[in-house]
Amino acid sequence: MTHNAITLEDVCVRYAQRDAIHDVSGIFAEGTLTAIAGPNGAGKSTLLKAMAGIVKPYRGRVTIDPCFTNSVAYLPQAASVRRDMPMPVLQAVCTGFWGVAGERGCIDAAMKAKAAMALADVGLEGYENRQLGELSGGEFQRVMFARLILQDARILLLDEPFASFDGATTAKLIQIILRWHKEGRTIICVLHDLLLIRKYFPESFVLAGKCMGRGHTHDMFEQKLLSYDLDMAELHTGIDNHRQLHHHDHL
Amino acid sequence: MTIFELFALPAHDDSVRRALAAALVLCLGSAPLGVLMNLRHLGLVGDALSHAILPGVAVAFMIFGASLWPMTAGALVAGVLIAGFAYMLTRITRLREDTSFTFLYLVALAFGVLVIHHSGGDEELVHMLFGDAFKLESASLMLAAGVSSLTVFCLCVFYRGLVIECFDPDFMQAAGRGRSLMGLLFFALMVINLVASFQILGTLLALGMMLLPAIGAQFWSARVDAAMGIAIVAAMVSAYAGILTAYSYQIPSGPAVVIYLGAFCVISVLIGPRGGLRNYLTVNCGGAK
């Protein structure tokens, strides 16, 4: 029997008196591969952070199935991490073992070999002893992805994982994500690239301040919620109307 | 005074011995904590916090006189209150964290100065602002030793978590283990260290012993643990030199220690191998030779 890995009930998150997302509900079943799409400012990253437990909703609830509570991994956008941390790459990747090693557990040779393999998977062989500060933006984001591999989580929340990658790297990482999908992990991925969504992500969740639609990616395109010529501008007008409505509620 | 006489000073005077013991023991906890603060860009918040404890100290002084425990309690309460207010202001208004801290600490500092001016005198004011290491009671020494032991213990036990929290705070939240505890622990350590060191350095300079060694140390090593070691040594040498200088020339101990720490930072910027002036010259002027 499949569980509902993540359940959202009327989730509202507010930054500085303005709703970033409003009354978002939905179920992410175990083993699904879902893309979260929507225009800029739609609250995609916020929704992901709410699912990861990084921001607290002021109303509503995010429920993670108890089987998975300690097995959630979150891939942030590079901007939110200290890129100039004085730390070698290998050490940064090994922070992915925090879930198993914790504070006292030893990082043994086998784990280090695993970390080196994860680095190779993302195309960073031989980078182990480089300092984080020396890496380019794309390389740093790949280090974060290698850490994600080591976390070996059942639920993966990825925020724009391909934003700073070229085609070859993206293809490589997509393969890893598809492998995870085959292994039955639950993957939720914020993406703006409709081509990638259409090709690789069976499920979509269209967000514009609130949930505009969710279900099979194919249906989302059928309903014109996702569309190559729409440019998502119409959805964006949707957000503004919604905000005005909400504003009137408070008056 | 000869160098030998300077080094022999502690042997003659009990107050110098106490001051040295307290300062050296505080370095053990404060300096590595400063390295983490520096990594988290908490310098300004720490600065604000160290000034914000003054009204607590001042009110305790007004009510109980110059005794250690009430003043320590007052400092703790003021520190936590100001941090709490700043946190709330950041959450519910448009002020950013550093701005709300700056706003609150300036007001708190002004309030504290007025209270001390009213109830004590200018001498007390100078002591509280700039520290007087030579008037330490045994109890202050115990406080410093206790705080330092606790800090070193926590840094050893929770080192990995604290470093990961510096690197990527969201990761800790999402990973589920140690959720937000590391942030809280770090903050608590910061406050008790500031409170313990205010007797020696005063509220205005209490942060010096934490941040300055860390600022200098980052020019010497690319590793967090090594930077902590360097910071501890630099802090201890500066504290030793500063306190002896302060005693011999009858100047306040806080500024004396901070001047030595500042000298360490200047030297580090000039000749430190990592990202200092030397680096800059090799990269930018190396080709012109």
Side-chain angles (χ1 to χ4, degrees), chain B residues 49-82 108-109 111-117 119-120 124-132 143 191-192 194-204 206:
Chain B
L49 210 55
S50 70
H51 296 11
I53 64 178
L54 190 68
V57 179
V59 169
F61 174 76
M62 194 168 77
I63 302 172
F64 300 99
S67 71
L68 174 75
W69 296 112
M71 275 161 78
T72 306
L76 271 177
V77 171
V80 171
L81 273 183
I82 295 281
L109 186 64
F111 178 70
V113 169
L114 285 180
V115 171
I116 299 173
H117 183 76
S119 57
E124 267 86 11
L125 188 61
V126 169
H127 282 170
M128 280 184 206
L129 289 178
F130 303 110
D132 189 356
L143 177 72
V191 173
I192 59 172
L194 283 174
V195 170
S197 56
F198 105 87
Q199 286 234 337
I200 298 171
L201 293 176
T203 54
L204 278 181

Side-chain angles (χ1 to χ4, degrees), chain A residues 25-96:
Chain A
S25 298
I27 288 169
F28 296 87
E30 185 188 356
T32 47
L33 173 56
T34 313
I36 299 183
N40 290 336
K44 301 185 294 286
S45 297
T46 305
L47 180 64
L48 210 63
K49 280 185 180 168
M51 290 196 263
I54 294 161
V55 296
K56 300 268 171 288
Y58 84 92
R59 212 171 65 213
R61 216 165 43 175
V62 176
T63 319
I64 292 180
D65 190 286
C67 316
F68 305 123
T69 35
N70 279 329
S71 194
V72 179
Y74 167 71
L75 180 73
Q77 288 190 38
S80 68
V81 184
R82 274 215 60 158
R83 283 189 47 195
D84 56 341
M85 185 84 182
M87 204 186 235
V89 167
L90 187 69
Q91 217 174 48
V93 175
C94 282
T95 59

Side-chain angles (χ1 to χ4, degrees), chain A residues 16-17 49 52-54 56 69-70 72 74 76 80-82 84-87 92 95-96 98-107 131-132 140 144 147 151, chain B residues 38-41 91-94 156-164 166-179 182 221-225 274:
Chain A
Q17 296 166 0
K49 280 185 180 168
I54 294 161
K56 300 268 171 288
T69 35
N70 279 329
V72 179
Y74 167 71
S80 68
V81 184
R82 274 215 60 158
D84 56 341
M85 185 84 182
M87 204 186 235
T95 59
W98 174 254
V100 280
E103 191 57 62
R104 305 252 55 84
C106 157
I107 307 282
Q131 279 289 316
L132 286 181
F140 185 84
M144 295 283 97
R147 177 178 76 174
Q151 280 183 270
Chain B
N38 199 17
L39 287 175
R40 295 174 71 146
H41 296 299
R91 279 295 291 267
I92 61 180
T93 70
R94 56 170 299 166
C156 289
V157 175
F158 302 109
Y159 177 76
R160 202 178 271 171
L162 287 168
V163 171
I164 298 180
C166 287
F167 173 50
D168 184 357
D170 289 350
F171 173 80
M172 293 296 279
Q173 288 273 326
R177 283 181 67 166
R179 198 174 283 216
M182 288 301 155
S221 171
R223 295 167 44 136
V224 179
D225 47 0
R274 284 196 66 248

Side-chain angles (χ1 to χ4, degrees), chain A residues 121-122 142 145 161-162 165 169-177:
Chain A
D121 279 347
V122 298
R142 279 191 269 172
F145 204 96
F162 314 121
F165 295 149
T169 314
T170 304
K172 212 176 215 169
L173 300 187
I174 287 265
Q175 289 313 315
I176 298 177
I177 290 179

